[in-house]
Amino acid sequence: FDAGTKRILETNPAFRRILGYTAEELERMTTVYDLVPDDPRSIDHNVERTLEQGHVLVGERQYRRKDGSSVELEVSGSVICYRGREVVCAVVRDITERKRAEEALRESEERFRTIFEQTAVGISIADPNRRLLETNPAYQEMVGYSEEELYGKPIAEFSHPDDVPVDTELNNELLADNLDRYQREKRYIRKDGESVWVRPTISVVRDAEDEPQFLIGVVENITERKRVENALKESEQRFRQLFEQSVEALIVHDEEGKIVDCNEETCRSLGYTREELLAMSVRDIATGLLSEEEKREREKRGGTLWQRIAAGEPDTPAVVHFGEHKCKDGTTFPIEVRVGGVDYSGKRMILASVRDITKRKTLEEQLAHRAFHDSLTDLPNRHLFMDRLRHALARADRRAGKVAVLFVDLDNFKLVNDSLGHEAGDRLLVAVAERLRGCLRPGDTAARLGGDEFTILLEGVDIRDATQVASRIAEALRAPFDLEERQIFTSASIGIVLNTTNQDEPGNLLRNADLALYQAKGSGKAGYAIFDPGMSTHALKHLELGNDLRQALERDEFKVYYQPKVLLDTGKIIGVEALVRWEHPERGLLLPSDFVPIAEETGLILHLGQRVLEKACRQARAWQEQCPGGPPRLMCVNLSARQFQHPDLARDIARVLRETGLDPCSLCLEITESAVMKDVQSTITTLQELKGLSVKFAIDDFGTGYSSLSYLKRFPVGFLKIDRSFIDGLEKDPEDTVLVSGIITLAHTLGMRVIAEGVETAEQLARLREMECDIAQGNYFSEPVSGRPATTFLVNDLRW
Ligand code: C2E
Ligand code: MG
Ligand code: MG
């Protein structure tokens, strides 16, 4: 352009491309000022300086493009002579890109600084010998040293000694260019001595000659993660250990039942390998756990088990059910399963603990058999007979015939027993039972009530059928019995009764058969008699006895006797059982079997029981006062079924406790197994109610009533008294020994203490000790005695 007028004279294509004008447009422009609208004067200034100094001047400047945008140009101008005049020749170069790059670099450096200063990740820059040159605040905080302290410090100096060798090795690899970078987990020792787990990522920066210049470390603090990891690992190990060592089969499965884990015991009990089980569902191995009805019932109550488990209720209550496990070989065994929720590998799962209850079931079956059968002849006992009679009466239908009860009694059994001994007597009874069975049709029942008393139940018969059976029996029993070398002849008398309606009381029917039997005996032995209502003196007798009892209560003829219970561990008396006696002015001392059944029938038992309870509690209180600071002893009092069912029971007991001042913890109520099992639900309610008074409970005569053992758990009962008949069998009957031992084990697993009743010999006691029975009671220690001698043995027990 012209140095004077600043008119553009000539441009090259590159110039025009940069600024977006055509040559004509540029030549038409008045001056170059139009190209630098922001700063036109500076052109004058530069032109002057160029003219003055005569050499090239370089500068950077903003130009305006034709489209209005600006562009950064580097300009070098020189003054030359062109066609006879002085012109300025400006050479321009587009430096927009360079400018932008410079700006970006500045920004990036700033950004890096910010990150460096503010990030929570530690950053270090070290020389190739791993001496620190620069560290950021996060790094300084992590190791507890200040920036100054760290400057020049070798990293190895505050690394855990165990980690240094590997550090050195990796570093050499890095410097030798065998590695781009490395990352590892290691420990720093902080200035305060604590160690921190870190994860540095180290890379190398090289110069133009490819020589290592710096080591850049990005260091993450992973102490917390490590701590959680370790805690998790430990808890997992613990879980694993418990899981594997459990004697129960433990199975973890998902909602669908797919097995995701199981322990060794599961494999062992089912005969599958772990791999096999992990490919199976619980449905493949368990059956009969929940009926559809139970499932619906449960869902109605609180949603499905799974819903509750999935909702993660903190401790989803363990739900128990019963069923069977199927083994690989096709066999099955009964199980008790407890299921609850568990977090497993981050998912909500079900943990099922499965207990093999074969033993319990077997015991239950044996006990059930025992409860319903006579152990000598294996015939049904009174219990089962009455049960069958009740059912027979309930379904008796006039058209289908009547129900008959035959009461059979051997005529000379006492003689055999007395002259030939018990054993011969027992063998005879077994043989009689055998013949009775032979006389009956399949649906009929022969039972042994006790001693030489047998009963027969016939259904769908008339009087002719019944008498025919009676003669057949009489005939069969007349044939001689071969007992060892001896032949024994016996005969039987038989009483027969038929029902009149299906409202007949089973007890009445049996009593009437008994009356008929006496009739038969009276009219010469070896015959039978049919009951007729004229024989019934029963009701009358009943009334008389009832009156007697009432009078006896008024005259206070009932006394309480006490029998000690001995703790086998220490030999000390831990309590006594109160047993009622009737000191009858004429008949002498009467035992409960002589009057308790009548008292129960007449309802007088409520009154009598109350009286016994009062006396016993008062006596217990008196003993406690006599030996202050003495050992706490239990006063055990029997409750009859009728008392137990009475709605006022809890109130009455509370009143007696209040009146006598006895601490409720010292009172233990004995309730027979059959009373307890009569109505399980109401038993639980009653026991809970009484539990509120803090009194204790024992299940009496255990083994004689039919218990579902699984129920026992649901009763808040502390003691289980094994019936005398089992203790009696300890030396004689191996089966009884097994049963007693089974009952003791079971009671212990249910958290109950076991009392053996009727211990008579040192041998029985020794066996019971071996079986870890807790407490024993029986004539071996002392017969039941009245209050005064009882005081003596209690005081002696203290001295000893
Ligand atoms: P139980 O509660 O099972 O009492 C144990 C029975 O076994 C007592 O019979 C006791 O004298 C007897 N006994 C204790 N040790 C031996 C022994 O070594 N050998 C033998 N053969 N027997 C032994 P007891 O006193 O005749 O009582 C019989 C049942 O009458 C009691 O059985 C209990 O069920 C009931 N009973 C006793 N007193 C009361 C009472 O006050 N109220 C109620 N409702 N029932 C009572
Ligand atoms: Mg008792
Ligand atoms: Mg008992």
Side-chain angles (χ1 to χ4, degrees):
F1 61 87
D2 188 289
T5 63
K6 312 291 191 297
R7 268 190 70 102
I8 294 168
L9 302 173
E10 219 176 305
T11 53
N12 72 348
F15 184 84
R16 293 192 290 266
R17 210 163 37 243
I18 290 172
L19 291 171
Y21 291 104
T22 63
E24 291 73 39
E25 283 169 335
L26 286 169
E27 273 152 34
R28 245 182 280 127
M29 264 179 203
T30 26
T31 62
V32 290
Y33 299 145
D34 292 348
L35 294 175
V36 285
D38 294 340
D39 189 16
R41 291 292 113 214
S42 67
I43 299 239
D44 290 341
H45 178 71
N46 279 344
V47 171
E48 266 156 40
R49 281 176 55 208
T50 311
L51 288 174
E52 265 166 32
Q53 297 178 11
H55 60 80
V56 180
L57 261 186
V58 184
E60 290 170 8
R61 164 188 325 279
Q62 296 256 332
Y63 279 73
R64 169 86 53 87
R65 283 213 188 84
K66 186 187 173 188
D67 64 10
S69 63
S70 51
V71 55
E72 190 90 12
L73 298 182
E74 183 191 74
V75 189
S76 48
S78 48
V79 181
I80 54 169
C81 196
Y82 178 74
R83 291 189 189 155
R85 45 183 165 170
E86 272 194 325
V87 298
V88 177
C89 173
V91 179
V92 304
R93 188 190 308 159
D94 185 347
I95 56 167
T96 314
E97 272 313 310
R98 201 192 80 206
K99 278 281 173 186
R100 197 176 293 147
E102 277 171 10
E103 179 65 13
L105 186 65
R106 203 184 45 73
E107 270 176 23
S108 124
E109 235 156 44
E110 212 165 89
R111 221 170 333 160
F112 167 73
R113 231 343 103 185
T114 316
I115 293 172
F116 187 76
E117 296 294 336
Q118 291 181 4
T119 181
V121 178
I123 301 172
S124 65
I125 301 170
D127 67 18
N129 294 321
R130 306 184 63 229
R131 283 174 194 282
L132 287 169
L133 299 173
E134 210 174 328
T135 53
N136 72 341
Y139 191 94
Q140 294 146 20
E141 200 185 316
M142 199 173 341
V143 295
Y145 289 102
S146 69
E147 187 170 11
E148 294 70 39
E149 286 171 322
L150 286 175
Y151 182 79
K153 203 183 209 23
I155 294 174
E157 215 171 81
F158 57 88
S159 292
H160 193 288
D162 293 351
D163 295 333
V164 172
V166 177
D167 276 351
T168 312
E169 195 179 309
L170 285 169
N171 212 50
N172 291 340
E173 293 285 295
L174 203 60
L175 296 178
D177 213 1
N178 295 335
L179 277 177
D180 281 349
R181 58 166 64 207
Y182 71 82
Q183 186 178 67
R184 63 177 306 231
E185 293 183 356
K186 58 174 281 189
R187 282 151 297 174
Y188 286 157
I189 309 291
R190 288 169 50 90
K191 190 179 176 187
D192 60 17
E194 290 282 313
S195 74
V196 277
W197 271 100
V198 292
R199 184 171 59 191
T201 307
I202 309 290
S203 49
V204 61
V205 175
R206 293 169 184 278
D207 64 11
E209 272 81 57
D210 222 19
E211 282 304 310
Q213 223 176 347
F214 306 115
L215 296 170
I216 312 281
V218 177
V219 187
E220 203 184 331
N221 187 344
I222 55 167
T223 310
E224 183 57 19
R225 199 200 74 202
K226 276 280 176 188
R227 199 188 57 71
V228 172
E229 260 176 25
N230 283 340
L232 203 67
K233 210 191 286 167
E234 259 176 47
S235 107
E236 228 145 60
Q237 271 169 0
R238 249 192 326 259
F239 170 75
R240 219 354 97 186
Q241 195 174 4
L242 289 176
F243 195 69
E244 287 305 340
Q245 284 179 1
S246 166
V247 292
E248 296 190 357
L250 299 176
I251 300 170
V252 179
H253 64 87
D254 67 8
E255 181 186 3
E256 260 75 54
K258 187 179 166 351
I259 299 175
V260 297
D261 201 353
C262 63
N263 67 349
E264 184 49 40
E265 177 57 22
T266 313
C267 306
R268 196 200 58 72
S269 61
L270 291 170
Y272 286 107
T273 65
R274 241 177 85 81
E275 289 62 43
E276 287 173 322
L277 283 169
L278 293 186
M280 294 167 73
S281 152
V282 281
R283 282 182 244 289
D284 300 326
I285 53 171
T287 55
L289 285 183
L290 275 190
S291 67
E292 284 306 313
E293 194 184 334
E294 280 173 302
K295 248 185 233 162
R296 268 198 302 279
E297 177 59 27
R298 216 164 254 173
E299 280 165 31
K300 236 191 298 165
R301 268 186 283 133
T304 63
L305 173 66
W306 175 252
Q307 278 165 356
R308 278 181 295 141
I309 286 175
E313 284 179 20
D315 25 45
T316 313
V319 181
V320 181
H321 31 235
F322 297 92
E324 278 189 339
H325 253 184
K326 275 190 295 200
C327 303
K328 192 178 182 181
D329 64 10
T331 57
T332 61
F333 59 90
I335 53 169
E336 179 187 289
V337 188
R338 218 168 294 266
V339 292
V342 64
D343 287 321
Y344 186 88
S345 299
K347 287 207 194 80
R348 202 68 183 145
M349 296 278 172
I350 296 175
L351 173 64
S353 11
V354 182
R355 186 178 295 184
D356 179 348
I357 53 167
T358 309
K359 281 212 188 96
R360 193 198 295 172
K361 282 275 172 197
T362 317
L363 182 62
E364 202 168 284
E365 279 157 21
Q366 285 170 328
L367 283 174
H369 189 85
R370 257 301 285 263
F372 286 122
H373 293 83
D374 165 44
S375 53
L376 180 65
T377 61
D378 210 35
L379 285 179
N381 61 9
R382 179 189 292 268
H383 202 82
L384 182 52
F385 183 81
M386 293 306 271
D387 198 50
R388 293 212 178 144
L389 178 53
R390 201 168 301 118
H391 281 112
L393 285 170
R395 57 171 179 257
D397 170 343
R398 207 165 314 175
R399 272 162 305 156
K402 295 197 165 202
V403 174
V405 173
L406 276 54
F407 209 121
V408 183
D409 185 283
L410 298 186
D411 290 329
N412 53 351
F413 180 69
K414 198 167 154 23
L415 195 69
V416 174
N417 224 13
D418 291 350
S419 54
L420 301 178
H422 264 305
E423 284 185 19
D426 283 356
R427 274 204 301 280
L428 177 61
L429 291 173
V430 172
V432 167
E434 203 44 56
R435 288 196 190 167
L436 286 179
R437 274 194 200 101
C439 294
L440 301 182
R441 304 170 303 178
D444 301 336
T445 299
R448 177 173 173 234
L449 298 195
D452 60 341
E453 291 178 346
F454 294 88
T455 46
I456 313 284
L457 170 64
L458 307 172
E459 277 185 82
V461 293
D462 57 21
I463 192 81
R464 273 223 345 263
D465 301 330
T467 50
Q468 264 171 20
V469 174
S471 351
R472 211 157 58 225
I473 289 174
E475 191 69 35
L477 296 183
R478 250 194 300 274
F481 290 89
D482 290 322
L483 293 184
E484 280 167 18
E485 286 101 54
R486 227 180 297 266
Q487 269 208 335
I488 291 176
F489 290 87
T490 182
S491 60
S493 301
I494 303 171
I496 305 173
V497 67
L498 276 79
N499 71 320
T500 44
T501 68
N502 59 1
Q503 310 287 306
D504 284 352
E505 254 287 331
N508 278 340
L509 225 49
L510 194 65
R511 259 190 303 269
N512 291 344
D514 196 10
L515 280 175
L517 171 70
Y518 278 90
Q519 191 79 31
K521 280 206 194 261
S523 60
K525 294 194 170 177
Y528 60 81
I530 300 164
F531 172 78
D532 84 79
M535 292 174 179
S536 182
T537 52
H538 173 73
L540 214 75
K541 245 169 53 192
H542 209 90
L543 204 66
E544 246 167 52
L545 270 166
N547 279 335
D548 272 9
L549 277 176
R550 212 163 281 127
Q551 267 185 6
L553 271 168
E554 277 163 23
R555 297 195 196 126
D556 200 23
E557 287 169 6
F558 292 106
K559 300 281 142 62
V560 181
Y561 278 43
Y562 301 94
Q563 188 177 40
K565 294 180 197 246
V566 175
L567 192 63
L568 293 186
D569 262 356
T570 60
K572 293 273 173 195
I573 297 175
I574 81 149
V576 296
E577 176 169 7
L579 294 159
V580 68
R581 297 290 181 263
W582 183 356
E583 290 180 348
H584 199 282
E586 289 125 42
R587 293 160 68 195
L589 192 69
L590 297 184
L591 294 178
S593 55
D594 298 326
F595 58 89
V596 164
I598 302 152
E600 289 207 312
E601 275 177 50
T602 54
L604 281 172
I605 191 72
L606 293 174
H607 208 105
L608 178 61
Q610 191 79 10
R611 190 69 67 80
V612 172
L613 184 67
E614 277 166 16
K615 287 188 187 239
C617 288
R618 192 161 294 122
Q619 178 62 269
R621 182 80 193 108
W623 281 329
Q624 285 173 357
E625 274 163 6
Q626 258 169 295
C627 356
R633 282 173 174 145
L634 284 179
M635 174 55 78
C636 305
V637 179
N638 293 287
L639 280 193
S640 78
R642 246 176 118 152
Q643 279 175 284
F644 187 59
Q645 284 155 1
H646 202 278
D648 293 341
L649 177 64
R651 216 191 49 203
D652 286 347
I653 291 176
R655 184 184 53 76
V656 171
L657 286 169
R658 205 171 44 242
E659 284 176 7
T660 58
L662 183 68
D663 176 2
C665 301
S666 308
L667 180 63
C668 175
L669 300 172
E670 296 195 359
I671 308 150
T672 62
E673 184 190 16
S674 32
V676 161
M677 297 310 292
K678 231 172 218 147
D679 179 351
V680 171
Q681 206 43 54
S682 83
T683 294
I684 294 175
T685 319
T686 310
L687 288 177
Q688 292 294 2
E689 198 184 350
L690 291 171
K691 192 96 195 152
L693 299 176
S694 308
V695 298
K696 299 186 169 66
F697 301 99
I699 294 184
D700 207 348
D701 301 346
F702 184 79
T704 58
Y706 173 61
S707 288
S708 166
L709 298 181
S710 314
Y711 279 132
L712 286 182
K713 262 194 297 213
R714 299 172 50 194
F715 301 144
V717 167
F719 300 95
L720 196 74
K721 298 188 72 180
I722 304 182
D723 189 63
R724 209 168 62 211
S725 60
F726 290 89
I727 308 304
D728 195 40
L730 270 187
E731 289 144 281
K732 305 174 193 160
D733 191 343
E735 198 177 298
D736 276 10
T737 312
V738 173
L739 278 176
V740 170
S741 152
I743 294 171
I744 293 175
T745 312
L746 171 83
H748 286 167
T749 59
L750 298 178
M752 296 166 132
R753 295 211 277 171
V754 182
I755 304 175
E757 300 190 282
V759 177
E760 290 179 341
T761 68
E763 288 74 32
Q764 289 169 345
L765 188 63
R767 301 308 308 271
L768 288 166
R769 276 221 167 87
E770 278 166 26
M771 296 175 182
E772 293 179 5
C773 180
D774 306 280
I775 297 161
Q777 175 185 352
N779 293 349
Y780 177 74
F781 302 102
S782 164
E783 285 183 10
V785 293
S786 66
R788 199 186 296 267
T791 308
T792 313
F793 67 58
L794 287 177
V795 169
N796 283 341
D797 180 60
L798 272 188
R799 270 202 222 107
W800 185 63

